[in-house]
């Protein structure tokens, strides 16, 4: 544990050669189990004579060591850091952090935050006074690297006050922080503001001087947000003028010295975005106290947004600023929007420019289709300009619906007219129109159907959407095609069935589009259409509707996954699953489908990486097996031939993610089989009875289902080779733990249901022993109910005499005790 040993180890961890690097990592892992390891590493970090690269590597290691060992989880096998060592670390870390270089300071600040997450404030009462004292000292010296180190640490430890439930303990901790830190926070915020103003007024200042000052103000704003999140503290209410005047200044002042470069502009925008989040918080939670400032901030943000470029680097500022206006629009302050010309100005200068496609959107569409769909189709785009601009319109429409509807309808018509005049040059105008209609649609109760006041959906569909869907070139103007498919998907319940059925072949054609987004949207549209229900809950589309083009549909779906980057396309696989759940599965359909699915399964077994895709893949296999075999039991051998090699790969290679799926598929095949069971299954039965198979709790439900299937289909096999003893051993293991006891009862109940009394009689005393031991040691309501269900089942199946006799064989008269204390009361 001496410094030379640690220094050499950390030096070798930086080696590009794998052998010395792995050897050093192994030595450090071994050393980490010794007492005072963290302290020794921290002292190495503090040694200025050691090369900074080594000290930085040590600081990273120290942080990671704290993450796993400061407060290890109960399941962790790692030895925790001892209290005496913790106390010494707490004594050293703040001063060391402030005296370190920026790279090391960053790591130590994160380490300090990790400790604070567990210990602050109750187990570390000296932290806040030490931070405050340090902040005062470094701010007097205008050492803003250290100022930002302290503020960054405070920001990290105060984040706990955001988004947590308001409890007495949380409020007591918050009061402690407010009593101690609110005044110093305001002091450093105002002090830094004066420095910024004097630096700018005396010649603009240099970016090198201004950047740390703006970062300091941003950190102050984030701390402000944390300390005000739960409720408005008295100190902040009393000093609201001081805070708000500075906030407004940063929204209305330009700083040419910084804003002349992209990096500098980002620093200023980050501060402005933090200000917007603070005033939005006050607008949401302290509207009454904040009302005198709303108009001034609204005007400042309207003006600011008019000058925020469409560059993606300014997205966060644009989004947070528009969110503030959205919050105002739904509050009692909405009258600000009633003034003449305000809503048209907002629509023209804020909404439409932010809804229009940008180069960045086109690039995302082409280069990262998964992220594009996540934002666009899945509704997780609330923090994009396009979505938040539409949310602003929805907010204004809360109180001015007629005005907004008329205005946007005119805008949509203008956009479509522009497109019609020159479709090649103005295709983005049509995309913008479609996006506005889709994004401003209102979901009805239940969330399945939508409506809109902006357009007549069926007319808009016929005039605007249909030409795109009927276009023979599936690869031309891909973003327009994607928008049309999205419109069809969103308004699917309003499109008449005859028209939708007529368009099914067009959707099938779009599965062949080269654009990943387009063939994904086509698959999603088909999948969602098959979920539409009419009144009474009847599915609108049935097997007969898709039978005419089922073969080409399935072929195109499988072919879509041959496009680059769509090999594991979850939207296509989900569509396959849905189609197989609706269609009539003939042998002509089943054969290519099972071949395609097993081929994909063999590939993903090599490197499972998309759990959603994998889930739909196994669901597709399961639904295909079930529906095909229900229709034609003779297909089972063919399915077994196709699936067994894949399932054997999963079992032989212990593909952890797929084991539960594999066991469930095997259970399904066994359940569908007719006795006698194939010898192939009996080999798996042997594997199933091995205790090693039951070590992972995540596998237990699937294993139990498989075991139940064997017990039901091959009960006579249990008498051979001591298998019943092994099954009851599994029951014993499962029933002993509250997390798996219910699964244990499923096994036991299946044994009782499927075996003659003469077979199980020799084991009944052991079974009751296991159950009564668990009842005595770890009684839970769930266990007692499961026990009573088992006793009732045994009573019905094998008679009251056998029940009473076998129970009393464990302990005289225990049956009456169980009857009076558990059975009757429950």
């Amino acid at each position: 544990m001496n410094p030379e040993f640690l220094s050499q180890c950390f030096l070798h961890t930086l080696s590009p050669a794998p052998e010395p690097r792995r050897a050093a990592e192994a030595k450090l892992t071994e050393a980490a189990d010794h007492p005072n390891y963290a302290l020794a590493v921290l002292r190495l970090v503090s040694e200025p004579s050691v090369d900074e690269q080594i000290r930085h590597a040590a600081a990273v290691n120290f942080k990671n060591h704290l993450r796993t060992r400061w407060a290890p989880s109960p399941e962790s096998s790692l030895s925790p850091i001892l209290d005496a060592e913790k106390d010494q670390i707490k004594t050293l870390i703040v001063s060391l952090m402030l005296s370190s270089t920026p790279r090391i300071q960053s790591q130590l600040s994160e380490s300090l935050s990790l400790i604070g997450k567990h210990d602050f404030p109750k187990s570390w009462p000296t932290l806040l006074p030490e931070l405050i004292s340090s902040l005062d000292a470094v701010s007097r010296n205008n050492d803003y690297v250290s100022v930002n180190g302290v503020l960054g640490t405070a920001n990290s430890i105060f984040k706990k006050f955001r988004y947590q439930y308001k409890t007495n303990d949380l409020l007591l901790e918050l009061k402690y922080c407010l009593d101690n830190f609110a005044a110093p926070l305001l002091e450093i915020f105002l002090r830094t503001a004066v420095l910024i103003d004097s630096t700018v007024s005396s010649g603009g200042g240099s970016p090198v001087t201004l950047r740390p000052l703006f970062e300091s103000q941003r950190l102050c704003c984030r701390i402000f947000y944390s300390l005000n999140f739960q409720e408005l503290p008295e100190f902040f209410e009393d000093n609201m003028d001081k805070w708000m005047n500075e906030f407004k200044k940063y929204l209305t002042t330009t700083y040419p010295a910084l804003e002349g470069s992209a990096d500098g502009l980002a620093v200023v925008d980050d501060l402005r975005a933090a200000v917007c989040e603070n005033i939005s918080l006050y607008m949401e939670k302290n509207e009454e106290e904040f009302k005198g400032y709303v108009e001034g901030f609204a005007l400042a943000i309207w003006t600011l947004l008019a000058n925020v470029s469409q560059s993606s680097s300014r997205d966060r500022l644009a989004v947070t600023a528009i969110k503030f206006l959205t919050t105002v629009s739904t509050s009692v302050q909405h009258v600000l929007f009633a003034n003449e010309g305000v809503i048209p100005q907002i629509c023209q200068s804020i909404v439409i420019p932010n809804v229009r496609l940008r180069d960045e959107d086109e690039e995302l569409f082409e280069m990262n289709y998964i992220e594009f769909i996540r934002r666009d189709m899945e509704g997780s785009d609330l923090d994009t300009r396009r979505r938040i601009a539409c949310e602003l319109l929805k907010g204004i429409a809360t109180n001015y619906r007629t005005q907004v509807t008329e205005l946007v309808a005119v805008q949509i018509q203008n956009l479509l007219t522009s497109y019609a005049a020159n479709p090649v040059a103005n295709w983005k105008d049509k995309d913008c129109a479609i996006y506005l209609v889709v994004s401003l649609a209102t979901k009805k109760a239940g969330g399945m159907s939508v409506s809109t006041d902006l357009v007549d959906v069926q007319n808009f569909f016929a005039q605007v959407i249909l030409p795109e869907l009927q276009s023979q070139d599936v690869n031309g103007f891909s973003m327009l095609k994607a928008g049309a498919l999205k419109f069809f998907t969103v308004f699917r319940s309003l499109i008449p069935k005859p028209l939708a059925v007529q368009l099914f072949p067009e959707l099938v054609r779009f599965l062949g589009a080269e654009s990943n987004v387009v063939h994904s949207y086509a698959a999603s549209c088909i999948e969602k259409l098959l979920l539409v229900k009419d009144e009474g809950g009847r599915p609108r589309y049935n097997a007969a509707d898709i039978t005419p083009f089922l073969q080409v549909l399935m072929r195109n779906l499988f072919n879509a996954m041959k496009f680059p980057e769509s090999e594991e396309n979850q939207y296509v696989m989900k569509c396959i699953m849905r189609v197989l759940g609706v269609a009539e599965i003939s042998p002509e359909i089943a054969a290519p489908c099972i071949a395609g699915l097993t081929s994909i399964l063999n590939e993903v077994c090599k490197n499972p990486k998309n759990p959603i895709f994998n889930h739909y893949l196994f669901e597709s296999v399961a639904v295909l097996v079930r529906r095909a075999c229900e229709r034609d039991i003779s297909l089972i051998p063919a399915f077994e031939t196709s699936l067994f090699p894949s399932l054997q790969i999963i079992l032989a290679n212990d593909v952890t993610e797929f084991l539960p799926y594999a066991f469930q598929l095997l259970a399904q095949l066994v359940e569908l089989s007719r006795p006698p069971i194939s010898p192939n299954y009996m080999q798996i039965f042997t594997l199933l009875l091995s205790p090693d198979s039951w070590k992972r709790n995540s596998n237990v439900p699937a294993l139990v289902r498989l075991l139940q299937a064997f017990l039901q289909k091959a009960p006579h096999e249990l008498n051979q080779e001591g298998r019943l003893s092994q099954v009851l051993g599994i029951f014993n293991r499962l029933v002993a733990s509250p997390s798996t006891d219910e699964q244990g009862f499923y096994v036991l109940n299946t044994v009782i249901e499927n075996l003659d009394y003469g077979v199980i009689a020799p084991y009944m005393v052991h079974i009751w022993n296991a159950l009564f031991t668990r009842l005595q040691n770890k009684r839970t309501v769930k266990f007692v109910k499961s026990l009573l269900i088992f006793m009732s089942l045994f009573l019905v199946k094998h008679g009251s005499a056998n029940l009473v006799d076998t129970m009393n064989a464990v302990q005289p008269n225990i049956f009456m005790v169980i009857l009076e204390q558990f059975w009757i009361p429950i």
Side-chain angles (χ1 to χ4, degrees), residues 69-179:
R69 296 182 189 246
W70 193 272
S73 63
E75 300 84 37
S76 173
S77 59
L78 298 173
S79 52
I81 298 171
L82 300 176
D83 288 344
E85 186 180 359
K86 286 182 176 181
D87 291 341
Q88 291 186 68
I89 290 170
K90 289 178 190 174
T91 303
L92 296 170
I93 193 167
V94 175
S95 58
L96 178 55
M97 179 194 74
L98 295 176
S99 63
S100 298
T101 57
R103 285 178 75 212
I104 294 173
Q105 186 180 87
S106 170
Q107 296 299 326
L108 293 179
S109 177
E110 285 186 52
S111 302
L112 200 154
S113 302
L114 285 168
I115 302 171
K117 180 181 174 185
H118 298 289
D119 287 20
F120 179 79
K122 288 181 181 175
S123 300
W124 199 358
T126 59
L127 174 61
L128 203 53
E130 191 174 357
L131 287 175
I132 293 164
S133 170
S134 301
L135 182 62
D136 182 57
V138 294
S139 65
R140 289 181 190 282
N141 296 327
N142 286 343
D143 175 6
Y144 269 82
V145 171
S146 297
V147 165
N148 292 343
V150 176
L151 291 175
T153 302
N155 180 38
S156 294
I157 63 176
F158 292 155
K159 279 180 184 176
K160 68 193 298 181
F161 300 122
R162 301 181 201 172
Y163 316 116
Q164 284 196 18
Y165 287 115
K166 190 186 292 187
T167 62
N168 287 337
D169 284 346
L170 188 76
L171 291 177
L172 283 171
E173 290 182 9
L174 177 58
K175 183 180 185 306
Y176 167 76
C177 295
L178 286 165
D179 290 347

Side-chain angles (χ1 to χ4, degrees), residues 345-364:
Q345 182 194 346
I346 286 175
C347 190
Q348 198 66 45
S349 62
I350 297 176
V351 176
I352 298 299
N354 282 296
V355 168
R356 285 185 65 84
L357 280 172
R358 298 174 298 165
D359 292 344
E360 290 89 341
D361 300 316
E362 292 184 72
E363 186 178 334
L364 191 67

Side-chain angles (χ1 to χ4, degrees), residues 704 734-735 737-747 782 786:
V704 166
L734 296 177
V735 87
S737 168
S739 62
T740 56
D741 53 8
E742 202 167 23
Q743 299 294 330
F745 275 107
Y746 293 157
V747 173
K782 183 181 70 170
S786 297

